[in-house]
Amino acid sequence: MFYWLILFAVIFLAINAASKNHAKTQRQLAKAAVQKCRICPECAESIKVEAKKCRYCGLSLMPCTEDELAQIDNAYALEISRIDKMSYTQPKNKKYQNNDVWK
């Protein structure tokens, strides 16, 4: 009996660790997808801050000013902090949430 209790505890801890690792991986992937970008004034596509030419329309871009860089950095930091606060849990299936309805 004691053997089964220990086995159950080990399996529970392993599943819990795996789910935390998965959430951490998802958070890291979301952070990697966020880039410091600005909007092209000609075609309104997002382009990287370091770009000298828009890859969509070919417009030559002026370097970012200090104010633009500060705004972009603030938006980037805000997005990263939003990702850190997110929880990556599976949404519940809404089909089975209402128990009052006959099936």
Side-chain angles (χ1 to χ4, degrees):
M1 180 68 183
F2 186 68
Y3 171 76
W4 292 107
L5 185 63
I6 291 175
L7 181 66
F8 176 74
V10 168
I11 290 173
F12 176 75
L13 292 174
I15 291 173
N16 192 16
S19 67
K20 285 183 182 179
N21 190 22
H22 178 69
K24 183 178 177 183
T25 303
Q26 291 293 331
R27 195 172 293 116
Q28 288 173 345
L29 289 174
K31 282 183 181 180
V34 176
Q35 296 180 356
K36 293 183 181 182
C37 295
R38 61 182 174 165
I39 304 298
C40 176
E42 188 71 26
C43 64
E45 291 289 340
S46 65
I47 51 176
K48 293 182 181 177
V49 173
E50 299 87 15
K52 296 179 182 178
K53 184 183 268 191
C54 177
R55 71 178 187 163
Y56 299 102
C57 66
L59 179 72
S60 294
L61 301 168
M62 298 295 293
C64 286
T65 63
E66 293 296 324
D67 293 335
E68 288 176 335
L69 284 175
Q71 289 177 349
I72 290 169
D73 287 338
N74 288 340
Y76 179 77
L78 184 67
E79 185 69 20
I80 293 296
S81 67
R82 186 186 64 80
I83 289 172
D84 284 339
K85 292 177 185 174
M86 288 175 64
S87 64
Y88 288 93
T89 57
Q90 291 285 337
K92 292 182 180 178
N93 191 345
K94 293 184 179 183
K95 181 178 178 182
Y96 301 108
Q97 282 184 351
N98 191 357
N99 295 333
D100 297 336
V101 178
W102 287 89
K103 296 179 180 166

